């Protein structure tokens, strides 16, 4: 089974981060009973750094399709070729905040979600996808109109998932991380610290396990 992580700055991480991708790699190692690979065209952190917090994080597990400042509109045209070339079976996707903050409104962002799903299927028919809603962040806490836009997008995201999921290529919506607190789980109000990484990985792990029987329950102690 081949997993691809897709996301923005919260997924790519910066020098000194473990990243939630690392937490998922550890989780899969400890709970997934079959052979698997992590795939994608990129492997670096922000600005090309390779300074992951754990230097033992193997190169082949660092693969991803994530970029600082990249959102649904950037990934929609990239996902088909990337998923096809990597023969991805499962996409774990965390996008949306950067779109709403800098590029597109809720409706436009939701349209790009639909483009992304179509592109993924064009490149890799039968691919499965787990999409994370936009999670709590400092701007939404301080800016009521922006918070309303985030809420609106999350509603549209849920509708897109309901409309577009199929038996051949299921699309599932992860929950917003339980008890996610930007003052405890981020280092700047947006980007996850160690506890935030565990919470993000835990939501993806829960969907994989509960919906498809992939892996097991997420246990932070097991993945350090």
């Amino acid at each position: 089974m081949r997993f691809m992580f897709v996301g923005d700055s919260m997924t790519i991480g910066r020098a000194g981060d473990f990243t939630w991708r690392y937490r998922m790699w550890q989780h899969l190692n400890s709970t997934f009973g079959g052979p698997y690979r992590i795939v994608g065209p990129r492997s670096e952190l922000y600005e090309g750094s390779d300074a992951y917090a754990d230097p033992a994080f193997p190169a082949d597990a660092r693969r991803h399709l994530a970029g600082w400042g990249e959102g649904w509109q950037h990934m929609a045209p990239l996902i088909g070729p990337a998923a096809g070339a990597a023969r991805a079976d499962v996409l774990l996707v965390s996008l949306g905040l950067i779109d709403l903050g800098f590029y597109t409104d809720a409706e436009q962002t939701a349209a790009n979600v639909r483009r992304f799903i179509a592109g993924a299927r064009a490149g890799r028919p039968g691919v499965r996808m787990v999409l994370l809603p936009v999670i709590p962040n400092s701007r939404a806490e301080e800016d009521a109109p922006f918070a309303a836009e985030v809420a609106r997008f999350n509603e549209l995201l849920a509708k897109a998932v309901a409309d577009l999921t199929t038996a051949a290529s299921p699309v599932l919506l992860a929950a917003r991380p339980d008890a996610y607190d930007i003052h405890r789980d981020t280092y700047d109000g947006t980007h996850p610290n160690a506890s935030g990484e565990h919470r993000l990985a835990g939501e993806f792990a829960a969907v994989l396990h509960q919906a498809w029987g992939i892996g097991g329950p997420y246990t932070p102690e097991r993945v350090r």
Side-chain angles (χ1 to χ4, degrees):
M1 187 166 289
R2 302 166 77 88
F3 299 89
M4 182 184 291
F5 304 112
V6 184
D8 53 26
S9 56
M10 290 184 285
T11 298
I12 190 173
R14 63 175 186 173
D17 286 349
F18 286 97
T19 74
W20 70 262
R21 299 181 284 109
Y22 171 86
R23 311 297 184 182
M24 277 298 298
W25 165 71
Q26 289 190 312
H27 170 73
L28 290 169
N29 280 348
S30 64
T31 66
F32 187 57
Y36 80 92
R37 291 188 65 183
I38 293 173
V39 298
R42 305 173 185 174
S43 62
E44 70 281 355
L45 296 157
Y46 180 47
E47 295 186 327
S49 172
D50 64 357
Y52 285 86
D54 183 355
F57 190 19
D60 60 356
R62 298 180 179 189
R63 309 304 302 177
H64 63 80
L65 177 61
W68 202 280
E70 295 185 56
W72 287 107
Q73 72 167 11
H74 304 89
M75 294 303 179
L78 300 181
I79 190 58
R87 294 183 288 118
D89 298 305
V90 180
L91 306 179
L92 304 178
V93 187
S94 172
L95 290 167
L97 179 59
I98 195 73
D99 303 83
L100 300 171
F102 294 96
Y103 305 120
T104 49
D105 63 21
E107 283 74 15
Q108 292 166 331
T109 306
N112 286 327
V113 172
R114 291 171 180 265
R115 287 177 55 222
F116 176 98
I117 292 171
R121 288 170 170 165
R124 184 67 169 159
V127 69
R128 300 187 236 183
M129 296 170 247
V130 181
L131 313 183
L132 188 74
V134 174
I135 63 175
N137 60 86
S138 58
R139 181 171 173 186
E141 185 176 77
E142 300 162 359
D143 181 342
F146 182 72
E149 198 72 8
V150 168
R152 173 62 176 156
F153 168 72
N154 282 341
E155 292 173 354
L156 293 171
L157 179 65
K159 185 176 189 307
V161 168
D163 288 348
L164 299 177
T165 191
T166 67
S169 175
V171 186
L172 297 178
L173 185 66
R176 290 185 13 145
D178 183 47
Y180 194 87
D181 183 339
I182 63 172
H183 305 289
R184 179 194 59 219
D185 298 321
T186 76
Y187 61 77
D188 61 358
T190 297
H191 299 94
N193 58 21
S195 65
E197 291 168 359
H198 281 300
R199 291 181 186 277
L200 294 181
E203 293 306 328
F204 283 109
V207 174
L208 292 177
H209 175 58
Q210 294 167 11
W212 299 324
I214 297 172
Y218 187 85
T219 306
E221 294 79 10
R222 184 182 292 152
V223 299
R224 299 199 302 275

